[in-house]
Amino acid sequence: MIKGYYVGYKITDSSGQFVYKTLETGDDFKGECVLTGLRRFTRYTVKIQAFNSVGTGPSSDHVIVKTLKEDPPMAIELSVARVTYTTIDVVWRRDPIESNIIGGYQFYIKAENENWQETTVHGDLQDYTFINLQCGTRYEIYAVPYNDAGRGQASQIVTARTNGRAPIAPQKQRLLKINTTSVVMDLHAWDSVGCAIVSIDIKYKGLHEKNWLEHMGHVSPDIQEVTIPGLLPSSSYQLLITARNPAGSTQAEYTFRTLVRTGDSQIRTLQVDENRVPFYLEIEIILPVVLSAVVVLAVLILVCLIMRKRQSSESSYGGSSTYGSRKVQQQPSQQETVQLSDLEKLSSKRQSERLEAAYYPCPYATTRLSHEDDPGQESIQDEPQYATVKRTPRPPKPESHIYHYPVRPCKEYTGEAHHRDPLVVKIETSESNGTERRG
């Protein structure tokens, strides 16, 4: 069983010995050998010998080959310089140690989900521009240098995307012209964003219906206006439009209501959409209401906590304060009541001594009979001999003083000298001259 091979080579017509390279057969053995470090444009003699566990077998016939003047070129370093809506510029540079002549480059480019396209570029160039590309599209690019010796190594793959985006949907006011039984769409209202729109799909349905009705599919971008006829007056519809360009597709949905037919016998001036979402379910209304309610509730809770804390503080200290104030207010009143009673008793006693025998008729007073004179009449109970006095600021002391002296009750005037009715006597005393006047 062959275990390997000896590959020998030397420069033809030279006196040197063969140089051997050993190749062992194994799992990775490919049946070929690459000889390196040879001279350019030189003739070599090559032979092969097989060997096994017993020894080396006979040599094969000699083969004379000549190396090339140039080797295949090495890989270049490729990069993207600039992009536009339809072009991509690439530049490259060679390895500084590269000494082989480059005859040219084979460039390969492809868009996403498409096949590779080949372009040949002259070897003297160091940049190249790809033209007529699709806008808004991602591309992959790589290059392979070549010369008379063959194709060299491929460069790394670089990626670039041309300028442009998917179409932008217009506002409803710019796109739609609503009539009584139809709607007209201005397709030129769509913004292509630098990439021409290639197709437009149009679908519509009633607002409360489930299935879409396809009006037109893949409308040509050359058509400016599209009309959907046969709609019901004063009815709500939904419109679904999909616009495509090389950069992508955009889908937009619109809701509109046809106009009221003015020729009808009964014209409704106010139209209410039965299928419209109730206002209390719309998020624009629910969210502010809920937030306001939460804020109001938080304020009410805070006020209740403050009031409860205040009432608790008053209940803790209010009882003793009220009791103390009432006690303080009550003591002066009782003291003043006692003093007033003593003053009245003293005044009555002094007046009785001065006017013990003085009686005056009381023609204008109402005489009250005692129980002894009229047994049929009940005696009037005397009023209590005390009063509650409210203390007020003392007025300035006058020059004269007026005293009221209570006297004994008088009996009704009968014309007799010994029966006299009492009078209330006012005595004015002047401090200046010390004289008295009685009235």
Side-chain angles (χ1 to χ4, degrees):
M1 182 178 179
I2 297 176
K3 291 186 176 181
Y5 299 89
Y6 297 117
V7 179
Y9 61 94
K10 73 171 186 171
I11 297 175
T12 305
D13 300 333
S14 67
S15 59
Q17 300 293 325
F18 280 90
V19 178
Y20 288 92
K21 183 175 183 179
T22 303
L23 295 177
E24 294 182 355
T25 59
D27 296 337
D28 57 348
F29 181 71
K30 298 180 180 179
E32 62 181 21
C33 177
V34 178
L35 302 177
T36 60
L38 306 180
R39 296 179 182 180
R40 294 186 180 187
F41 206 61
T42 302
R43 297 168 64 90
Y44 282 88
T45 301
V46 181
K47 66 178 181 178
I48 300 175
Q49 288 180 287
F51 67 89
N52 57 16
S53 57
V54 178
T56 303
S59 175
S60 66
D61 295 335
H62 292 185
V63 178
I64 299 176
V65 295
K66 187 178 182 179
T67 57
L68 299 176
K69 187 176 181 180
E70 298 291 342
D71 289 334
M74 301 174 63
I76 60 174
E77 184 179 350
L78 186 66
S79 62
V80 177
R82 188 173 67 93
V83 296
T84 66
Y85 286 97
T86 58
T87 63
I88 296 178
D89 294 343
V90 294
V91 295
W92 62 88
R93 65 172 185 157
R94 299 175 59 183
D95 194 321
I97 65 174
E98 176 65 71
S99 59
N100 296 310
I101 298 175
I102 297 179
Y105 303 92
Q106 292 289 336
F107 274 91
Y108 297 88
I109 183 172
K110 81 178 187 71
E112 292 179 315
N113 303 323
E114 294 185 4
N115 297 325
W116 289 100
Q117 296 180 0
E118 182 180 346
T119 301
T120 301
V121 179
H122 195 273
D124 296 335
L125 299 179
Q126 293 185 348
D127 63 348
Y128 183 75
T129 300
F130 296 92
I131 60 175
N132 297 327
L133 304 179
Q134 298 179 356
C135 68
T137 304
R138 180 176 178 272
Y139 286 88
E140 295 180 351
I141 304 171
Y142 74 94
V144 177
Y146 67 91
N147 58 15
D148 294 339
R151 291 166 57 90
Q153 300 175 356
S155 68
Q156 79 280 12
I157 296 177
V158 296
T159 60
R161 181 183 292 274
T162 54
N163 296 333
R165 294 182 299 165
I168 298 177
Q171 296 181 353
K172 183 171 65 173
Q173 293 77 5
R174 293 184 53 203
L175 178 67
L176 303 181
K177 298 178 182 178
I178 304 172
N179 298 318
T180 305
T181 59
S182 64
V183 60
V184 180
M185 290 162 285
D186 183 7
L187 301 184
H188 285 183
W190 282 79
D191 186 359
S192 61
V193 199
C195 298
I197 297 176
V198 296
S199 65
I200 297 178
D201 296 338
I202 301 174
K203 297 180 181 180
Y204 74 98
K205 70 180 182 67
L207 183 62
H208 61 282
E209 296 178 356
K210 295 182 179 179
N211 298 326
W212 291 94
L213 301 176
E214 185 173 1
H215 177 67
M216 297 183 68
H218 300 287
V219 179
S220 172
D222 298 333
I223 300 177
Q224 181 175 356
E225 291 185 350
V226 174
T227 302
I228 299 179
L231 305 179
L232 297 177
S234 185
S235 300
S236 297
Y237 290 89
Q238 283 184 301
L239 187 65
L240 183 63
I241 302 178
T242 304
R244 298 181 181 85
N245 66 4
S249 62
T250 301
Q251 190 175 79
E253 186 173 331
Y254 302 91
T255 300
F256 67 93
R257 189 179 185 86
T258 54
L259 302 179
V260 179
R261 180 179 297 172
T262 57
D264 292 345
S265 58
Q266 296 180 353
I267 301 177
R268 294 179 296 174
T269 59
L270 179 62
Q271 299 292 338
V272 180
D273 189 1
E274 299 81 359
N275 298 300
R276 185 178 179 182
V277 178
F279 74 95
Y280 51 82
L281 295 181
E282 296 182 358
I283 189 63
E284 294 84 357
I285 298 178
I286 293 176
L287 186 58
V289 171
V290 171
L291 293 179
S292 301
V294 171
V295 172
V296 172
L297 182 60
V299 172
L300 291 178
I301 293 175
L302 181 60
V303 171
C304 291
L305 292 177
I306 294 174
M307 295 299 295
R308 179 175 296 180
K309 184 176 181 181
R310 181 176 298 177
Q311 292 177 0
S312 176
S313 300
E314 292 178 356
S315 62
S316 299
Y317 302 99
S320 58
S321 300
T322 304
Y323 174 76
S325 61
R326 290 182 178 178
K327 183 176 181 180
V328 172
Q329 294 178 1
Q330 184 176 4
Q331 290 177 357
S333 299
Q334 293 176 354
Q335 184 177 1
E336 292 174 0
T337 302
V338 174
Q339 293 175 357
L340 179 61
S341 300
D342 295 342
L343 179 60
E344 289 179 353
K345 291 180 182 180
L346 181 59
S347 299
S348 299
K349 183 177 181 181
R350 292 179 179 178
Q351 183 67 15
S352 299
E353 293 177 353
R354 291 183 181 181
L355 303 177
E356 183 175 2
Y359 290 92
Y360 297 94
C362 302
Y364 302 103
T366 301
T367 303
R368 296 175 182 260
L369 297 178
S370 63
H371 183 69
E372 296 176 356
D373 295 339
D374 190 357
Q377 298 290 335
E378 296 180 359
S379 62
I380 300 176
Q381 298 180 357
D382 295 335
E383 296 180 357
Q385 297 299 322
Y386 63 90
T388 301
V389 179
K390 182 178 181 182
R391 301 176 70 94
T392 57
R394 180 174 296 178
K397 184 176 182 182
E399 296 180 357
S400 61
H401 301 278
I402 299 177
Y403 298 91
H404 294 269
Y405 293 92
V407 296
R408 290 177 296 178
C410 60
K411 297 183 180 180
E412 185 178 356
Y413 178 72
T414 58
E416 297 179 1
H418 62 277
H419 294 285
R420 298 180 177 86
D421 292 332
L423 293 177
V424 177
V425 179
K426 295 183 179 180
I427 301 174
E428 298 181 1
T429 304
S430 177
E431 296 181 355
S432 61
N433 51 16
T435 59
E436 295 183 358
R437 290 187 301 170
R438 297 185 180 182

PDB file of all heavy atoms in Angstrom, residues 177-196:
ATOM      1  N   LYS A 177     -60.846  64.147  -3.394  1.00  0.00           N
ATOM      2  CA  LYS A 177     -61.911  65.092  -3.742  1.00  0.00           C
ATOM      3  C   LYS A 177     -63.229  64.328  -3.611  1.00  0.00           C
ATOM      4  O   LYS A 177     -63.558  63.487  -4.453  1.00  0.00           O
ATOM      5  CB  LYS A 177     -61.725  65.622  -5.159  1.00  0.00           C
ATOM      6  CG  LYS A 177     -60.437  66.400  -5.374  1.00  0.00           C
ATOM      7  CD  LYS A 177     -60.294  66.847  -6.829  1.00  0.00           C
ATOM      8  CE  LYS A 177     -58.982  67.585  -7.029  1.00  0.00           C
ATOM      9  NZ  LYS A 177     -58.809  67.993  -8.457  1.00  0.00           N
ATOM     10  N   ILE A 178     -63.972  64.618  -2.563  1.00  0.00           N
ATOM     11  CA  ILE A 178     -65.149  63.832  -2.201  1.00  0.00           C
ATOM     12  C   ILE A 178     -66.383  64.460  -2.821  1.00  0.00           C
ATOM     13  O   ILE A 178     -66.611  65.673  -2.713  1.00  0.00           O
ATOM     14  CB  ILE A 178     -65.284  63.760  -0.668  1.00  0.00           C
ATOM     15  CG1 ILE A 178     -63.996  63.188  -0.053  1.00  0.00           C
ATOM     16  CG2 ILE A 178     -66.481  62.898  -0.283  1.00  0.00           C
ATOM     17  CD1 ILE A 178     -63.965  63.250   1.443  1.00  0.00           C
ATOM     18  N   ASN A 179     -67.198  63.598  -3.462  1.00  0.00           N
ATOM     19  CA  ASN A 179     -68.465  64.022  -4.045  1.00  0.00           C
ATOM     20  C   ASN A 179     -69.611  63.272  -3.375  1.00  0.00           C
ATOM     21  O   ASN A 179     -69.434  62.595  -2.359  1.00  0.00           O
ATOM     22  CB  ASN A 179     -68.459  63.789  -5.555  1.00  0.00           C
ATOM     23  CG  ASN A 179     -67.386  64.588  -6.254  1.00  0.00           C
ATOM     24  OD1 ASN A 179     -67.169  65.756  -5.931  1.00  0.00           O
ATOM     25  ND2 ASN A 179     -66.685  63.959  -7.201  1.00  0.00           N
ATOM     26  N   THR A 180     -70.791  63.355  -3.982  1.00  0.00           N
ATOM     27  CA  THR A 180     -71.972  62.706  -3.398  1.00  0.00           C
ATOM     28  C   THR A 180     -71.915  61.193  -3.545  1.00  0.00           C
ATOM     29  O   THR A 180     -72.178  60.456  -2.587  1.00  0.00           O
ATOM     30  CB  THR A 180     -73.245  63.238  -4.063  1.00  0.00           C
ATOM     31  OG1 THR A 180     -73.263  64.661  -3.945  1.00  0.00           O
ATOM     32  CG2 THR A 180     -74.496  62.664  -3.400  1.00  0.00           C
ATOM     33  N   THR A 181     -71.566  60.710  -4.746  1.00  0.00           N
ATOM     34  CA  THR A 181     -71.557  59.266  -5.005  1.00  0.00           C
ATOM     35  C   THR A 181     -70.207  58.770  -5.511  1.00  0.00           C
ATOM     36  O   THR A 181     -70.122  57.658  -6.027  1.00  0.00           O
ATOM     37  CB  THR A 181     -72.637  58.905  -6.031  1.00  0.00           C
ATOM     38  OG1 THR A 181     -72.390  59.632  -7.257  1.00  0.00           O
ATOM     39  CG2 THR A 181     -74.019  59.248  -5.508  1.00  0.00           C
ATOM     40  N   SER A 182     -69.142  59.549  -5.373  1.00  0.00           N
ATOM     41  CA  SER A 182     -67.826  59.132  -5.859  1.00  0.00           C
ATOM     42  C   SER A 182     -66.742  59.881  -5.092  1.00  0.00           C
ATOM     43  O   SER A 182     -67.003  60.851  -4.383  1.00  0.00           O
ATOM     44  CB  SER A 182     -67.687  59.402  -7.363  1.00  0.00           C
ATOM     45  OG  SER A 182     -67.762  60.794  -7.618  1.00  0.00           O
ATOM     46  N   VAL A 183     -65.511  59.389  -5.282  1.00  0.00           N
ATOM     47  CA  VAL A 183     -64.343  60.040  -4.705  1.00  0.00           C
ATOM     48  C   VAL A 183     -63.234  60.004  -5.748  1.00  0.00           C
ATOM     49  O   VAL A 183     -63.034  58.994  -6.436  1.00  0.00           O
ATOM     50  CB  VAL A 183     -63.898  59.361  -3.399  1.00  0.00           C
ATOM     51  CG1 VAL A 183     -63.526  57.910  -3.634  1.00  0.00           C
ATOM     52  CG2 VAL A 183     -62.736  60.111  -2.765  1.00  0.00           C
ATOM     53  N   VAL A 184     -62.533  61.114  -5.908  1.00  0.00           N
ATOM     54  CA  VAL A 184     -61.464  61.250  -6.887  1.00  0.00           C
ATOM     55  C   VAL A 184     -60.135  61.352  -6.137  1.00  0.00           C
ATOM     56  O   VAL A 184     -60.010  62.140  -5.193  1.00  0.00           O
ATOM     57  CB  VAL A 184     -61.672  62.484  -7.780  1.00  0.00           C
ATOM     58  CG1 VAL A 184     -60.545  62.599  -8.800  1.00  0.00           C
ATOM     59  CG2 VAL A 184     -63.024  62.402  -8.480  1.00  0.00           C
ATOM     60  N   MET A 185     -59.125  60.565  -6.565  1.00  0.00           N
ATOM     61  CA  MET A 185     -57.807  60.539  -5.927  1.00  0.00           C
ATOM     62  C   MET A 185     -56.768  61.150  -6.854  1.00  0.00           C
ATOM     63  O   MET A 185     -56.658  60.756  -8.021  1.00  0.00           O
ATOM     64  CB  MET A 185     -57.409  59.096  -5.584  1.00  0.00           C
ATOM     65  CG  MET A 185     -58.218  58.484  -4.469  1.00  0.00           C
ATOM     66  SD  MET A 185     -58.085  56.677  -4.477  1.00  0.00           S
ATOM     67  CE  MET A 185     -59.136  56.280  -5.870  1.00  0.00           C
ATOM     68  N   ASP A 186     -56.009  62.101  -6.352  1.00  0.00           N
ATOM     69  CA  ASP A 186     -54.914  62.716  -7.085  1.00  0.00           C
ATOM     70  C   ASP A 186     -53.633  61.969  -6.727  1.00  0.00           C
ATOM     71  O   ASP A 186     -53.004  62.228  -5.699  1.00  0.00           O
ATOM     72  CB  ASP A 186     -54.803  64.197  -6.729  1.00  0.00           C
ATOM     73  CG  ASP A 186     -53.721  64.905  -7.533  1.00  0.00           C
ATOM     74  OD1 ASP A 186     -53.164  64.265  -8.460  1.00  0.00           O
ATOM     75  OD2 ASP A 186     -53.424  66.070  -7.229  1.00  0.00           O
ATOM     76  N   LEU A 187     -53.211  61.042  -7.595  1.00  0.00           N
ATOM     77  CA  LEU A 187     -52.059  60.193  -7.287  1.00  0.00           C
ATOM     78  C   LEU A 187     -50.746  60.962  -7.291  1.00  0.00           C
ATOM     79  O   LEU A 187     -49.770  60.514  -6.686  1.00  0.00           O
ATOM     80  CB  LEU A 187     -51.995  59.040  -8.298  1.00  0.00           C
ATOM     81  CG  LEU A 187     -53.231  58.127  -8.335  1.00  0.00           C
ATOM     82  CD1 LEU A 187     -53.003  56.978  -9.305  1.00  0.00           C
ATOM     83  CD2 LEU A 187     -53.546  57.592  -6.952  1.00  0.00           C
ATOM     84  N   HIS A 188     -50.701  62.099  -7.943  1.00  0.00           N
ATOM     85  CA  HIS A 188     -49.468  62.886  -7.960  1.00  0.00           C
ATOM     86  C   HIS A 188     -49.221  63.574  -6.617  1.00  0.00           C
ATOM     87  O   HIS A 188     -48.167  64.196  -6.428  1.00  0.00           O
ATOM     88  CB  HIS A 188     -49.536  63.929  -9.082  1.00  0.00           C
ATOM     89  CG  HIS A 188     -49.341  63.325 -10.438  1.00  0.00           C
ATOM     90  ND1 HIS A 188     -49.310  64.077 -11.600  1.00  0.00           N
ATOM     91  CD2 HIS A 188     -49.167  62.029 -10.833  1.00  0.00           C
ATOM     92  CE1 HIS A 188     -49.130  63.276 -12.643  1.00  0.00           C
ATOM     93  NE2 HIS A 188     -49.043  62.030 -12.192  1.00  0.00           N
ATOM     94  N   ALA A 189     -50.168  63.475  -5.697  1.00  0.00           N
ATOM     95  CA  ALA A 189     -49.960  64.041  -4.361  1.00  0.00           C
ATOM     96  C   ALA A 189     -48.976  63.217  -3.545  1.00  0.00           C
ATOM     97  O   ALA A 189     -48.457  63.699  -2.529  1.00  0.00           O
ATOM     98  CB  ALA A 189     -51.294  64.146  -3.623  1.00  0.00           C
ATOM     99  N   TRP A 190     -48.716  61.968  -3.964  1.00  0.00           N
ATOM    100  CA  TRP A 190     -47.740  61.139  -3.258  1.00  0.00           C
ATOM    101  C   TRP A 190     -46.332  61.685  -3.487  1.00  0.00           C
ATOM    102  O   TRP A 190     -45.983  62.117  -4.582  1.00  0.00           O
ATOM    103  CB  TRP A 190     -47.802  59.690  -3.754  1.00  0.00           C
ATOM    104  CG  TRP A 190     -48.956  58.925  -3.189  1.00  0.00           C
ATOM    105  CD1 TRP A 190     -50.246  58.985  -3.598  1.00  0.00           C
ATOM    106  CD2 TRP A 190     -48.899  57.990  -2.121  1.00  0.00           C
ATOM    107  NE1 TRP A 190     -51.017  58.142  -2.849  1.00  0.00           N
ATOM    108  CE2 TRP A 190     -50.219  57.506  -1.920  1.00  0.00           C
ATOM    109  CE3 TRP A 190     -47.896  57.502  -1.309  1.00  0.00           C
ATOM    110  CZ2 TRP A 190     -50.547  56.584  -0.953  1.00  0.00           C
ATOM    111  CZ3 TRP A 190     -48.203  56.568  -0.339  1.00  0.00           C
ATOM    112  CH2 TRP A 190     -49.519  56.117  -0.164  1.00  0.00           C
ATOM    113  N   ASP A 191     -45.494  61.647  -2.439  1.00  0.00           N
ATOM    114  CA  ASP A 191     -44.106  62.103  -2.525  1.00  0.00           C
ATOM    115  C   ASP A 191     -43.223  60.889  -2.797  1.00  0.00           C
ATOM    116  O   ASP A 191     -43.154  59.960  -1.993  1.00  0.00           O
ATOM    117  CB  ASP A 191     -43.702  62.780  -1.217  1.00  0.00           C
ATOM    118  CG  ASP A 191     -42.317  63.411  -1.303  1.00  0.00           C
ATOM    119  OD1 ASP A 191     -41.682  63.295  -2.370  1.00  0.00           O
ATOM    120  OD2 ASP A 191     -41.884  64.021  -0.306  1.00  0.00           O
ATOM    121  N   SER A 192     -42.533  60.914  -3.945  1.00  0.00           N
ATOM    122  CA  SER A 192     -41.700  59.764  -4.337  1.00  0.00           C
ATOM    123  C   SER A 192     -40.351  59.754  -3.635  1.00  0.00           C
ATOM    124  O   SER A 192     -39.640  58.749  -3.666  1.00  0.00           O
ATOM    125  CB  SER A 192     -41.479  59.787  -5.849  1.00  0.00           C
ATOM    126  OG  SER A 192     -40.793  60.970  -6.229  1.00  0.00           O
ATOM    127  N   VAL A 193     -39.938  60.840  -2.985  1.00  0.00           N
ATOM    128  CA  VAL A 193     -38.672  60.961  -2.247  1.00  0.00           C
ATOM    129  C   VAL A 193     -37.489  60.569  -3.146  1.00  0.00           C
ATOM    130  O   VAL A 193     -36.589  59.846  -2.737  1.00  0.00           O
ATOM    131  CB  VAL A 193     -38.688  60.109  -0.965  1.00  0.00           C
ATOM    132  CG1 VAL A 193     -37.604  60.591   0.005  1.00  0.00           C
ATOM    133  CG2 VAL A 193     -40.033  60.151  -0.275  1.00  0.00           C
ATOM    134  N   GLY A 194     -37.487  61.060  -4.384  1.00  0.00           N
ATOM    135  CA  GLY A 194     -36.370  60.825  -5.288  1.00  0.00           C
ATOM    136  C   GLY A 194     -36.431  59.521  -6.044  1.00  0.00           C
ATOM    137  O   GLY A 194     -35.635  59.315  -6.963  1.00  0.00           O
ATOM    138  N   CYS A 195     -37.322  58.620  -5.674  1.00  0.00           N
ATOM    139  CA  CYS A 195     -37.461  57.332  -6.370  1.00  0.00           C
ATOM    140  C   CYS A 195     -38.834  57.295  -7.040  1.00  0.00           C
ATOM    141  O   CYS A 195     -39.865  57.410  -6.363  1.00  0.00           O
ATOM    142  CB  CYS A 195     -37.318  56.169  -5.393  1.00  0.00           C
ATOM    143  SG  CYS A 195     -35.698  56.097  -4.596  1.00  0.00           S
ATOM    144  N   ALA A 196     -38.849  57.130  -8.309  1.00  0.00           N
ATOM    145  CA  ALA A 196     -40.107  57.137  -9.045  1.00  0.00           C
ATOM    146  C   ALA A 196     -41.021  55.995  -8.589  1.00  0.00           C
ATOM    147  O   ALA A 196     -40.566  54.866  -8.379  1.00  0.00           O
ATOM    148  CB  ALA A 196     -39.837  57.011 -10.542  1.00  0.00           C
TER     149      ALA A 196
END
